């Protein structure tokens, strides 16, 4: 796209904010609620965007060439867009340092340290009173000095102007806001809209007010020099001035190629999560159903529904997804494997495909010709998007009523397909036997139609697991979205957040829930556990214990991870047995559970994961090597990351509530003086 003059080489992506609250409108852009999973996503996203084969590392990182420049955003503690008048432009995220280290900063630290990202974007909001883009401790102190950023820091678009016009931070003028962000370590101001300020046309503040800030002594010329150095070094690494011969031959033939579309299809299929499959309704057997009715507001889904937000330029029509309507209107008599925009055709007996355009929504009798109904529901960009948080976790009322009505009069249980980014309270469907199967498709992109059909008709066995908890709507009445705490607050009556700190009754589908067309069982020989001894080396830290949990605390309750060499590992294998008659993929998630006597610790936390393909009736061995400091470390209330002494637990759960399987073993950790 760059060679064709249709794109640049710097991409302000990925969004790696943790989904703290299920109402957040931008949950669809992110990898979920677990900081470790989000961080691993960030590392792999960035490496895929930036790395040139043979140049993954360099003695001088600032000279390492880049394919494109990625940007991890939005730093930091940003996850309120517009909730009942609390907007991101004025919101002050009051965050405890423990939560900052443990949750809000961790994906960004992984992105910079392990992904070697070339850019980080600071957010609109304030953090404990200070705008994120003007906080020297967060920017130059943490991102650049502590984590070692090799690149530039950019503001979210118009964030510097927001400091003056919206947040009105300290009553700063445009010149003072410009000086503040430059001194804090900002290198680039994304100015998104032309405005007139102080009689001047303004696009971005740094360009407009930077010179005046220097002339008035508000900032130093060296601050400007540093910003320019970081920007131009990134451009040089991209070959912006000298070219990048390795990629100069790329042209339109390399866009939307067969390999690329196959990858998009595989990504969409891997991302599908089977939430319910009562009585094994799915996969559908085309021999059993003569006609299929496709219903619901997304039954004629336009590209915007399929793609979500922030899609690339549709330069080539061959890359656009096919909607229900565009495919269905010319194919009313289809094979049983085909419906609507899904473009999935396979040999089979002819069947009747009944479209919404034939009046189903107005006349129930018409779709009585169908032997099965697939309902495509969910939400869209009117409900969840940037700048708009959700008011509740429910489906639109008309959808709920229509689904229940269709299910009640259908001769067979119906299939419900949900398109959404965030979780939805569909308790009414989960508990209804006439709604036999529920598939969460997310916003599956241009090849998503084929992917959904592949899953529904058994060409692909689903293996996805939920990246976030699906709460019941009652949960949001327990806690305001503006409360930033992750742990429960009994003094306020607030429950905890995410699977790490909430184990209450208002969960519909737990984090990592996901069914398959087969059954997976875990086996491991590590049941007796293991013991690890670490050298304390004078780096002991105090540990918070539950009241009455220990009579006498050990002389060294925990060690400081930052001061330890951290070379010790816990190694083990797990056998993943496919007990069914269908080949399938399965994601093995490894959790650690802190010692039960430790106060304020997570219920459990993801520390590793691998995806494995297992043939029916066979088993696959998956090996893990857990670094003790990383896998068993917790963040104390003092904000130190420590490894606690005592007995922790390694836990693996298959995520299948219909056929649960888990293995666990204890790990006793002690310290030598």
């Amino acid at each position: 796209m760059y060679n064709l003059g249709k794109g640049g080489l710097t991409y302000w992506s990925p969004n790696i904010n943790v989904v703290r609250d299920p109402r957040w409108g931008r949950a669809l852009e992110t990898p979920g609620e677990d900081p470790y999973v989000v961080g691993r996503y960030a590392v792999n996203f960035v490496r895929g965007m930036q790395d040139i084969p043979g140049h993954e590392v360099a003695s001088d990182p600032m000279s390492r060439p880049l394919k494109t420049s990625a940007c991890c955003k939005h730093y930091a503690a940003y996850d309120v867009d517009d909730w009942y008048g609390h907007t991101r432009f004025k919101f002050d995220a009051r965050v405890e340092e423990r939560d900052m280290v443990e949750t809000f900063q961790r994906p960004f630290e992984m992105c910079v340290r392990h992904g070697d990202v070339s850019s980080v974007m600071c957010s609109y909001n304030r953090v404990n009173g200070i705008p994120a883009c003007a906080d020297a401790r967060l920017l130059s102190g943490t991102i650049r000095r502590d984590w070692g950023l090799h690149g530039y820091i950019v503001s979210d678009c118009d964030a510097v102007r927001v400091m003056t016009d919206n947040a009105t931070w300290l009553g700063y003028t445009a010149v003072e806001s410009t000086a503040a962000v430059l001194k804090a370590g900002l290198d680039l101001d994304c100015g998104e809209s032309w405005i007139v300020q102080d009689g001047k046309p303004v696009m971005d503040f740094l360009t407009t007010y930077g010179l005046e800030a220097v002339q008035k002594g508000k900032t130093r010329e060296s601050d400007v020099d540093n910003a320019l150095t970081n920007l131009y070094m990134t451009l040089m690494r991209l070959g912006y001035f000298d070219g990048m011969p390795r990629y100069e031959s790329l042209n339109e033939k390399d866009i939307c190629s067969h390999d690329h579309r196959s990858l998009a299809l595989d990504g969409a299929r891997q991302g599908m999560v089977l939430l319910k499959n009562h009585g094994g309704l799915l996969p559908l057997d085309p021999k059993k159903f003569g006609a299929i009715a496709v219903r619901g507001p997304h039954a004629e889904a336009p590209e915007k529904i399929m793609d979500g937000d922030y899609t690339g330029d549709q330069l080539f029509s061959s890359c656009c997804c096919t909607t229900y309507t565009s495919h269905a209107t010319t194919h009313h008599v289809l094979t049983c494997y085909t419906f609507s925009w899904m473009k999935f055709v396979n040999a089979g007996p002819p069947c009747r495909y009944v479209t919404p355009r034939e009046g189903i929504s107005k006349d129930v009798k018409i779709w009585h010709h169908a032997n099965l109904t697939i309902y495509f529901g969910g939400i869209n960009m009117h409900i969840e998007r940037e700048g708009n948080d959700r008011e509740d976790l429910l489906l639109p009322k008309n959808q709920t009523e229509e689904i229940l009505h269709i299910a009640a009069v259908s001769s067979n249980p119906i299939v419900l397909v949900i398109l959404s980014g965030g979780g939805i309270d569909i308790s009414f469907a989960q508990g209804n036997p006439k709604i036999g199967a529920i598939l969460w498709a997310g916003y599956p992109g241009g090849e998503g139609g084929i992917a959904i059909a592949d899953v529904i008709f058994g060409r692909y066995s689903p293996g996805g697991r939920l990246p976030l908890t699906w709460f019941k709507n009652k949960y949001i009445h327990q806690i305001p979205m503006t409360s930033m705490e992750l742990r429960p607050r009994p003094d306020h009556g607030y429950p905890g957040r995410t699977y790490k700190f909430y184990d209450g009754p208002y969960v519909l589908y737990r984090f990592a829930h996901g069914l398959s067309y087969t059954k997976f069982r875990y086996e491991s020989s590590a049941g007796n556990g293991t013991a690890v001894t670490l050298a304390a080396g004078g780096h002991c830290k105090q540990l918070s214990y539950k009241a009455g949990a220990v009579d006498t605390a050990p002389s060294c309750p925990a060690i400081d991870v930052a001061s330890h060499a951290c070379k010790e590992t816990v190694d083990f294998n797990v056998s993943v047995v496919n007990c069914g008659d269908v080949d399938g993929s399965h994601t093995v998630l490894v959790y650690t559970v802190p010692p039960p006597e430790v106060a304020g610790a997570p219920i459990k936390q993801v520390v590793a994961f691998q995806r494995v393909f297992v043939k029916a009736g066979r088993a696959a061995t998956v090996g893990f090597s857990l670094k003790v400091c990383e896998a068993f470390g917790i963040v104390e209330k003092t904000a130190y990351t420590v490894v606690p002494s005592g007995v922790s637990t390694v836990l693996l759960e298959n995520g299948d509530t219909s056929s649960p399987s888990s293995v666990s073993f204890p790990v006793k950790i002690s310290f030598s003086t």
Side-chain angles (χ1 to χ4, degrees):
M1 295 291 278
Y2 173 75
N3 290 346
L4 295 169
K6 297 293 184 179
L9 292 174
T10 57
Y11 289 86
W12 289 339
S13 191
N15 182 338
I16 60 168
N17 295 112
V18 171
V19 182
R20 174 186 57 89
D21 190 288
R23 290 163 286 194
W24 188 33
R26 301 187 76 170
L28 74 160
E29 299 178 37
T30 78
E33 71 182 33
D34 180 81
Y36 174 80
V37 173
V38 174
R40 290 305 307 162
Y41 167 89
V43 170
N44 284 279
F45 188 110
V46 169
R47 288 290 182 181
M49 291 288 287
Q50 294 191 165
D51 285 1
I52 295 173
H55 297 276
E56 292 85 357
V57 295
S59 57
D60 178 9
M62 289 298 283
S63 67
R64 187 171 75 92
L66 301 173
K67 181 171 53 181
T68 61
S69 172
C71 173
C72 285
K73 63 182 186 182
H74 310 80
Y75 180 81
Y78 164 61
D79 54 12
V80 172
D81 268 65
D82 190 348
W83 182 73
Y84 290 108
H86 297 278
T87 72
R88 56 185 175 169
F89 303 132
K90 294 185 177 182
F91 182 61
D92 184 7
R94 311 301 294 190
V95 184
E96 293 183 0
E97 191 64 15
R98 176 195 241 180
D99 289 333
M100 199 70 173
V101 171
E102 182 180 53
T103 299
F104 298 114
Q105 287 185 323
R106 190 180 186 194
F108 290 91
E109 181 177 6
M110 294 173 69
C111 180
V112 175
R113 288 188 186 273
H114 306 303
D116 195 24
V117 74
S118 53
S119 179
V120 173
M121 177 182 286
C122 55
S123 52
Y124 293 110
N125 57 286
R126 285 173 284 171
V127 179
N128 297 327
I130 304 174
C133 292
D135 193 328
R137 187 175 75 97
L138 290 178
L139 303 190
S140 59
T142 301
I143 297 176
R144 197 171 295 284
R145 182 194 64 209
D146 296 346
W147 300 343
L149 174 69
H150 306 124
Y152 70 98
I153 301 174
V154 61
S155 73
D156 205 340
C157 294
D158 289 335
V160 184
R161 178 184 63 78
V162 163
M163 287 170 52
T164 301
D165 292 357
N166 297 82
T168 58
W169 182 58
L170 300 180
Y172 271 15
T173 64
V175 172
E176 290 169 329
S177 292
T178 298
V181 298
L182 281 169
K183 289 189 291 185
L186 189 73
D187 301 307
L188 180 66
D189 173 25
C190 167
E192 193 169 47
S193 56
W194 284 101
I195 62 170
V196 176
Q197 187 138 357
D198 299 331
K200 301 177 182 178
V202 178
M203 183 62 176
D204 70 84
F205 268 41
L206 300 197
T207 301
T208 306
Y209 298 108
L211 177 59
E212 188 176 351
V214 172
Q215 291 173 336
K216 289 185 175 181
K218 301 292 185 180
T219 191
R220 297 180 179 181
E221 189 173 338
S222 59
D223 296 325
V224 179
D225 292 341
N226 289 336
L228 291 172
T229 298
N230 294 327
L231 294 169
Y232 277 90
M233 286 296 291
T234 304
L235 290 174
M236 285 188 279
R237 294 171 65 193
L238 287 166
Y240 186 81
F241 302 104
D242 300 326
M244 191 73 73
R246 186 183 194 119
Y247 299 115
E248 287 176 353
S249 63
L250 295 176
N251 56 40
E252 64 272 8
K253 295 179 181 179
D254 299 292
I255 299 174
C256 206
S257 67
H258 173 76
D259 287 346
H260 297 167
R261 298 187 70 163
S262 295
L263 184 62
L265 173 60
D266 189 47
R269 291 188 300 200
Q270 287 193 34
M272 304 281 169
V273 181
L274 184 61
L275 300 175
K276 176 183 178 180
N277 196 22
H278 183 68
L281 177 61
L282 294 181
L284 295 181
D285 182 354
K287 296 178 182 179
K288 292 176 60 177
F289 302 101
I292 295 173
V294 176
R295 299 291 307 275
H298 295 336
E300 301 181 52
E303 294 164 22
K304 192 61 178 176
I305 298 297
M306 291 291 291
D307 290 344
D309 59 357
Y310 288 107
T311 56
D313 292 333
Q314 297 292 348
L315 181 62
F316 299 94
S317 59
S318 61
C319 240
C320 296
C321 58
T322 305
T323 67
Y324 290 152
T325 306
S326 63
H327 196 70
T329 51
T330 56
H331 296 82
H332 288 299
V333 179
L334 304 173
T335 63
C336 289
Y337 277 19
T338 307
F339 50 95
S340 184
W341 45 267
M342 292 184 174
K343 304 178 291 181
F344 176 56
V345 181
N346 199 3
C351 61
R352 175 69 172 166
Y353 166 71
V354 191
T355 72
R357 288 193 169 190
E358 295 177 85
I360 304 176
S361 58
K362 297 180 180 179
D363 188 350
V364 174
K365 294 182 180 179
I366 294 179
W367 57 265
H368 277 169
H369 294 294
N371 295 321
L372 185 131
T373 297
I374 302 173
Y375 189 97
F376 286 83
I379 52 181
N380 56 33
M381 299 306 108
H382 294 293
I383 295 174
E384 56 174 354
R385 68 177 187 278
E386 179 177 359
N388 187 78
D389 296 318
R390 295 163 64 183
E391 296 181 0
D392 58 48
L393 306 181
L394 302 172
L395 275 180
K397 184 179 180 181
N398 62 323
Q399 285 191 45
T400 301
E401 293 174 346
E402 187 177 35
I403 292 168
L404 289 172
H405 177 66
I406 292 172
V409 299
S410 294
S411 57
N412 291 302
I414 71 171
V415 176
L416 174 61
V417 179
I418 295 291
L419 274 68
S420 73
I424 301 175
D425 183 357
I426 48 173
S427 303
F428 73 92
Q430 177 62 27
N432 191 331
K434 292 298 296 289
I435 301 172
I438 305 173
L439 179 68
W440 181 53
Y443 295 113
E447 301 300 316
I450 304 176
I452 294 173
D454 282 355
V455 171
I456 286 179
F457 291 107
R459 284 276 296 267
Y460 184 89
S461 178
R465 301 178 66 172
L466 286 179
L468 39 74
T469 303
W470 279 36
F471 289 97
K472 297 178 181 178
N473 196 57
K474 289 182 179 179
Y475 172 82
I476 65 172
H477 299 302
Q478 310 297 307
I479 185 170
M481 192 173 176
T482 49
S483 172
M484 300 298 292
E485 291 91 352
L486 274 295
R487 287 164 175 78
R489 286 288 304 273
D491 55 330
H492 286 71
Y494 295 167
R497 295 185 180 276
T498 78
Y499 80 95
K500 293 176 66 175
F501 301 106
Y502 181 78
D503 195 24
Y506 301 127
V507 171
L508 177 60
Y509 302 117
R510 296 196 175 278
F511 172 84
H513 170 75
L515 308 179
S516 174
Y517 294 153
T518 188
K519 302 296 181 184
F520 294 100
R521 185 181 75 249
Y522 292 163
E523 296 177 354
S524 176
S525 59
N528 294 328
T530 186
V532 180
T533 301
L534 287 72
H539 302 297
C540 296
K541 291 291 182 184
Q542 293 302 306
L543 196 61
S544 301
Y545 290 105
K546 296 176 182 176
V550 294
D551 295 328
T552 304
S555 58
C556 184
I559 62 165
D560 179 19
V561 167
S563 304
H564 193 271
C566 294
K567 295 181 180 179
E568 297 83 359
T569 62
V570 171
D571 304 318
F572 65 96
N573 294 325
V574 61
S575 179
V576 181
V577 183
N578 186 336
C579 306
D581 55 4
V582 177
D583 299 346
S585 294
H586 177 70
T587 302
V588 183
L589 286 173
V590 180
Y591 302 91
T592 57
V593 181
E597 66 270 19
V598 178
I603 298 168
K604 60 184 179 181
Q605 56 188 358
V606 176
V607 296
F609 57 88
Q610 290 189 47
R611 191 179 183 96
V612 60
F613 179 81
V614 189
K615 287 187 171 294
R618 305 291 291 275
T621 299
V622 184
F624 292 94
S625 181
L626 307 180
K627 294 182 179 180
V628 172
C629 285
E630 294 180 4
F632 297 90
I634 61 173
V635 182
E636 246 290 286
K637 65 181 180 181
T638 56
Y640 283 102
T641 301
V642 301
V643 175
S645 62
V647 179
S648 294
T649 303
V650 172
L651 172 66
L652 294 85
E653 298 173 314
N654 70 351
D656 186 343
T657 53
S658 65
S659 181
S661 176
S662 65
V663 297
S664 64
F665 60 89
V667 177
K668 184 177 181 180
I669 299 176
S670 57
F671 309 122
S672 63
T673 57

